[in-house]
Amino acid sequence: MLSLEASRTGRQFQRYDEGCRQVVGCIPYRYKKGNQYIEDLEVLLISSQKGQSFFFPKGGWEIDESMEEAASRETQEEAGVIGFVECQLGKWRFQSKSQNTIHEGYMFPMRVTKELDSWPEKNVRQRIWMSVDEAREVCAHPWMKKALDEFVRRLVLQQQKEEENQTSCAIQFFRTEEQRIVGIGAQNGEEEVGLLPC
């Protein structure tokens, strides 16, 4: 269970790989009007603590948690949202501007189920829902923009697959119904018409 009282601090439990600090984060998302279409997709960005830039919530992956647990914790601490963490979008190496070190970042989509009224970093960050195009425009980290592009690519593929399945089911229903009608005709001595294979 995640604590709502304070953000974790300190680096004593941080994970490193070949000298790179490992960080994890989420692209929190929702659909306007309940429609699951790309054009209705919104993503949640947060401000930096000084309020000068926007990006997706992320932070250190610690040794006592899985990647998904760390991504969920960081998103709750920084953005005040809870949801379902989905399949990893990828891994990116980037240079931290503040520490001048190389980090390894992992990003996950998070389907938001709840927005909290109070969360650990509420007083130092803003959160704002944006369209994908707006988020791509204002996101301060190029590696996070790549994660967003990968997320959208997957959603588009999923939507296309679902549309193909719906079309396939409709065609199959039509052909099954047509076969039933032709079969009845054949029983009545009428000529049976063959159907083209799918």
Side-chain angles (χ1 to χ4, degrees):
M1 183 71 176
L2 296 173
S3 169
L4 300 178
E5 296 175 14
S7 298
R8 281 192 177 192
T9 57
R11 297 266 170 100
Q12 67 269 30
F13 299 115
Q14 294 287 284
R15 290 180 189 256
Y16 289 83
D17 182 32
E18 298 176 6
C20 295
R21 181 174 176 236
Q22 295 182 300
V23 298
V24 294
C26 287
I27 298 178
Y29 74 97
R30 69 182 182 188
Y31 291 99
K32 294 183 292 186
K33 307 171 195 171
N35 297 327
Q36 293 192 14
Y37 298 111
I38 297 299
E39 55 269 19
D40 292 323
L41 180 68
E42 290 183 319
V43 292
L44 184 69
L45 283 83
I46 58 169
S47 68
S48 63
Q49 291 189 0
K50 294 180 181 177
Q52 296 171 345
S53 58
F54 282 88
F55 42 80
F56 297 109
K58 64 106 177 89
W61 174 22
E62 300 189 355
I63 58 175
D64 63 342
E65 57 192 352
S66 69
M67 269 191 196
E68 292 83 358
E69 288 170 338
S72 181
R73 173 183 54 77
E74 287 292 343
T75 302
Q76 183 177 345
E77 288 176 358
E78 294 186 350
V81 292
I82 297 172
F84 297 108
V85 176
E86 299 172 354
C87 293
Q88 181 183 316
L89 294 167
K91 174 176 78 172
W92 292 268
R93 283 199 172 193
F94 62 95
Q95 186 164 359
S96 168
K97 293 177 183 175
S98 60
Q99 296 146 11
N100 202 27
T101 56
I102 301 298
H103 289 190
E104 197 170 72
Y106 300 83
M107 292 296 287
F108 299 81
M110 174 193 271
R111 179 76 183 262
V112 173
T113 57
K114 185 174 183 181
E115 290 184 60
L116 304 173
D117 294 326
S118 180
W119 65 97
E121 298 187 21
K122 177 179 182 177
N123 295 327
V124 294
R125 296 188 192 276
Q126 297 174 31
R127 64 181 179 193
I128 183 168
W129 288 100
M130 300 182 186
S131 71
V132 170
D133 289 340
E134 289 169 333
R136 198 178 284 116
E137 183 72 26
V138 304
C139 184
H141 300 311
W143 71 277
M144 287 187 173
K145 291 182 184 185
K146 291 178 183 174
L148 178 60
D149 289 342
E150 173 60 18
F151 175 48
V152 171
R153 185 190 73 79
R154 288 186 189 181
L155 287 178
V156 168
L157 286 175
Q158 180 182 340
Q159 188 172 320
Q160 288 171 346
K161 193 175 287 187
E162 287 171 2
E163 288 170 359
E164 287 171 8
N165 286 343
Q166 288 173 353
T167 301
S168 175
C169 288
I171 289 171
Q172 189 60 40
F173 172 78
F174 173 77
R175 290 185 175 193
T176 303
E177 191 64 15
E178 191 174 73
Q179 285 172 333
R180 187 183 70 79
I181 292 167
V182 168
I184 291 169
Q187 290 172 5
N188 295 332
E190 297 172 6
E191 184 179 344
E192 190 165 352
V193 179
L195 297 174
L196 294 175
C198 294

